[in-house]
Amino acid sequence: MQPVLADSVKLTDDGVLILDRRQFPFERNWVLCRTAEEVARAVEDMVTQSSGPYFAVLFAMVLRARTLEHLPFDEAREQLARTAHLLENTRRTNNALRKATKVVLEHVDAAQDVTHALQGAEEGDRRYRAKSQALGEHTANLLPDEATVMTHCWADLYLTETVRAAQAQGKRLKFFCTETRPYLQGARLTAETLIEMGVDTTLITDGMGAAVLQSGVVDALVTAADRVTMDGHVVNKVGTLGLAVAAHAFGVPFHAQVQAPDLLAPTTHHVEIEYRDGSEVLQVLGRPSATPRVKGHYPAFDVTPPRFVTTVVTDRGVYNAGELDKYYEGEQR
């Protein structure tokens, strides 16, 4: 069965349809964005997260290109580039948005025609899913036949493809999911999707992770990575660092999933960590969880140093955090 969230961004004649992940699974409402600017606002407002913004940006570029078809190519290309810049800056820590705009612009430039934005978006969609499938297979190979896995936040296609591959290999997985405050992606997105896929799933609060790792019941900590630097630092949803340190302390391997380490980020100095409005941590699903008289602090991501990372799993295979240059061996930089 195809999990609902595996296909939650769609391009239509009317615009880009985005399943509102802020309400899922309690409500399954779709937000229609008729312009690229509306897609940008939806991404900023967390209507979609994880790989959702990648697909939303692919299709937002097509929306913008549709409005430029009457213009001379050079003028249309310049305006499409401005839209790309707008979309890339909606969530700056994850470099997937840059990859989305890049593949669309490459197809436009090759054809010297903005109508080829659609072919670029289709190629970007296909490429992301294929890489996620390969990455999932490499991750499944690392897990024991009766593995209990802890995960944090919502790894999206990385997670579903890992589960699919493990099931195809006859492996039986169990998961511990952290709830992932303040948007509860682990509780609402990860747990629901794993249940849809027939996986034994247990939810824990964010503060329980170290204790569960200490108990000895977890075989591996597996999370996505929004970015991995070339020197092996893993940038992911805030809370990953604490789990990685605890896993290291208790002898549990940490496998970080990313399609590719980022050549444009040699070190963490090249990664901007997004800080969201602190008021977001004073509420849960729109309901206050603290007095408004306190201040909230919300770095959306944290950075795990390579000494706490057992492996980085990519679409091309598994690497130690200190050997990520091998991913690009044989390529012209």
Side-chain angles (χ1 to χ4, degrees):
M1 182 179 71
Q2 175 83 335
V4 173
L5 291 175
D7 192 21
S8 60
V9 181
K10 304 174 186 291
L11 179 65
T12 72
D13 290 340
D14 296 324
V16 178
L17 270 176
I18 303 175
L19 181 64
D20 193 338
R21 296 187 181 186
R22 299 168 302 181
Q23 302 169 348
F24 185 88
F26 315 114
E27 298 179 25
R28 303 195 177 191
N29 297 324
W30 292 80
V31 175
L32 176 62
C33 300
R34 297 183 182 276
T35 66
E37 290 75 16
E38 289 181 1
V39 172
R41 284 194 293 274
V43 172
E44 288 177 339
D45 292 344
M46 301 287 281
V47 174
T48 187
Q49 308 113 23
S50 193
S51 70
Y54 171 84
F55 295 105
V57 166
L58 283 178
F59 301 145
M61 291 288 283
V62 178
L63 292 187
R64 185 63 176 129
R66 287 175 180 173
T67 71
L68 302 173
E69 294 175 5
H70 64 287
L71 296 176
F73 175 73
D74 288 346
E75 185 178 346
R77 175 59 172 79
E78 181 182 353
Q79 293 197 31
L80 192 59
R82 291 178 191 163
T83 297
H85 182 72
L86 168 71
L87 293 165
E88 289 167 6
N89 281 283
T90 54
R91 303 295 305 276
R92 291 177 293 280
T93 300
N94 191 315
N95 64 332
L97 305 190
R98 187 181 72 233
K99 292 180 180 179
T101 60
K102 182 174 183 286
V103 68
V104 173
L105 291 174
E106 284 175 347
H107 277 69
V108 166
D109 290 343
Q112 292 287 288
D113 185 346
V114 293
T115 64
H116 281 247
L118 177 59
Q119 288 92 324
E122 291 171 342
E123 170 62 17
D125 184 297
R126 184 204 62 76
R127 186 183 301 174
Y128 192 97
R129 294 180 188 277
K131 287 176 176 287
S132 296
Q133 182 178 3
L135 180 157
E137 291 172 355
H138 293 310
T139 306
N141 292 338
L142 296 172
L143 302 176
D145 288 346
E146 302 281 338
T148 297
V149 179
M150 180 177 288
T151 192
H152 181 60
C153 200
W154 165 231
D156 217 299
L157 294 181
Y158 296 179
L159 176 73
T160 59
E161 293 300 338
T162 297
V163 171
R164 273 204 188 95
Q167 291 173 336
Q169 294 173 12
K171 295 182 177 182
R172 298 178 60 185
L173 304 184
K174 296 182 180 180
F175 270 81
F176 280 94
C177 303
T178 57
E179 61 183 358
T180 329
R181 284 270 291 133
Y183 279 92
L184 304 182
Q185 292 104 316
R188 296 182 302 100
L189 310 182
T190 306
E192 176 71 14
T193 296
L194 288 170
I195 291 296
E196 286 181 17
M197 298 185 76
V199 177
D200 184 324
T201 305
T202 301
L203 181 67
I204 60 175
T205 67
D206 290 356
M208 296 178 186
V212 175
L213 289 163
Q214 183 186 44
S215 73
V217 301
V218 176
D219 297 298
L221 171 66
V222 179
T223 76
D226 284 86
R227 192 97 68 99
V228 174
T229 63
M230 292 305 298
D231 63 354
H233 288 78
V234 171
V235 182
N236 193 45
K237 174 69 180 182
V238 68
T240 305
L241 170 61
L243 292 173
V245 171
H248 181 78
F250 299 119
V252 177
F254 171 35
H255 307 302
Q257 300 175 307
V258 72
Q259 289 188 3
D262 187 5
L263 277 173
L264 297 182
T267 71
T268 55
H269 296 295
H270 301 86
V271 180
E272 179 181 354
I273 299 299
E274 177 187 1
Y275 281 77
R276 296 186 64 83
D277 192 327
S279 65
E280 294 182 32
V281 306
L282 306 183
Q283 56 184 310
V284 178
L285 303 183
R287 300 187 64 179
S289 59
T291 172
R293 292 177 292 176
V294 300
K295 294 182 290 185
H297 176 61
Y298 187 9
F301 303 89
D302 60 26
V303 181
T304 300
R307 67 181 179 276
F308 300 117
V309 181
T310 308
T311 61
V312 176
V313 188
T314 74
D315 69 308
R316 296 181 180 176
V318 179
Y319 301 90
N320 294 326
E323 60 176 19
L324 295 179
D325 272 342
K326 291 183 178 179
Y327 180 92
Y328 293 102
E329 284 184 353
E331 288 190 15
Q332 288 190 341
R333 304 278 181 99

